Amino acid sequence: MPNTLTLDAFNHLPPPAATAALSRCCGARRWVEQMVGRRPFGTYDDLLSAADESFANLTREDWLEAFSHHPKIGDLDSLRARFARTADWAAGEQSGASDASDATLRALAEENETYQRRFGYIFIVCATGKSAEQMRELLGRRLANDPEAELETAAAEQMKITHLRLRKLIP
């Protein structure tokens, strides 16, 4: 399957191919199923509205499933091995971490581990345009959130990532 599609081509994909394409945008199976079932989309705005509406119908477990499809910020080995289908997109999204010093990346990794112990999932942030230092600052602030508020914040970040990836899939 090509890396990008027109909206019309996406609307006409067989369900398995549409599922594979949307899975690159969000790892929550229920979201993908809802989106495949809502096709065809008349406009790109219709697609984004459906994405938001479908995401709003997800449960905590669905969000956690989506989160599990992301590599940890700055974890290049994980990015290459486990997330090969989205590695090119995630690498671009995390490019701010690639220019960071080893000390900054180590600190980010340690803080990410603290975050994961506290909340039970990796730190989810729409990293596009953010430096490693900015991500560290956000991570530090978000560590102070209560678990329910942080889940909502992480879900909102997931939706930002999903929108970016939909734009990459269907430019």
Side-chain angles (χ1 to χ4, degrees):
M1 174 184 327
N3 276 341
T4 63
L5 298 163
T6 64
L7 183 60
D8 186 57
F10 172 73
N11 282 334
H12 288 94
L13 287 175
T19 296
L22 288 170
S23 294
R24 294 183 71 201
C25 300
C26 179
R29 284 181 303 233
R30 209 157 71 93
W31 180 85
V32 171
E33 290 166 2
Q34 289 178 36
M35 291 294 291
V36 169
R38 293 180 77 160
R39 293 180 311 150
F41 300 105
T43 67
Y44 190 77
D45 286 340
D46 294 340
L47 171 77
L48 292 180
S49 292
D52 291 343
E53 291 166 11
S54 295
F55 199 78
N57 291 325
L58 298 183
T59 65
R60 178 183 197 281
E61 289 73 28
D62 297 321
W63 290 345
L64 294 177
E65 180 184 23
F67 301 167
S68 75
H69 286 261
H70 291 279
K72 289 181 182 177
I73 295 289
D75 184 348
L76 299 179
D77 291 334
S78 176
L79 187 64
R80 280 191 290 270
R82 183 169 170 217
F83 303 96
R85 289 184 317 126
T86 59
D88 54 336
W89 287 353
E93 292 158 8
Q94 293 189 19
S95 62
S98 65
D99 295 334
S101 70
D102 286 346
T104 298
L105 288 177
R106 276 193 302 278
L108 187 56
E110 289 169 13
E111 291 161 359
N112 219 330
E113 289 299 320
T114 301
Y115 180 98
Q116 190 165 9
R117 282 191 302 274
R118 173 153 164 65
F119 296 112
Y121 50 88
I122 66 166
F123 176 60
I124 301 295
V125 64
C126 184
T128 300
K130 292 178 181 65
S131 70
E133 283 300 329
Q134 289 170 319
M135 287 184 272
R136 278 192 67 208
E137 181 182 319
L138 285 170
L139 195 158
R141 282 197 314 244
R142 286 174 51 189
L143 273 169
N145 286 345
D146 70 76
E148 197 57 38
E150 182 52 28
L151 181 64
E152 294 285 333
T153 300
E157 291 295 306
Q158 171 64 54
M159 198 60 232
K160 290 178 191 175
I161 295 165
T162 300
H163 274 239
L164 282 172
R165 291 181 176 185
L166 283 168
R167 286 184 189 98
K168 291 174 184 177
L169 177 67
I170 306 169

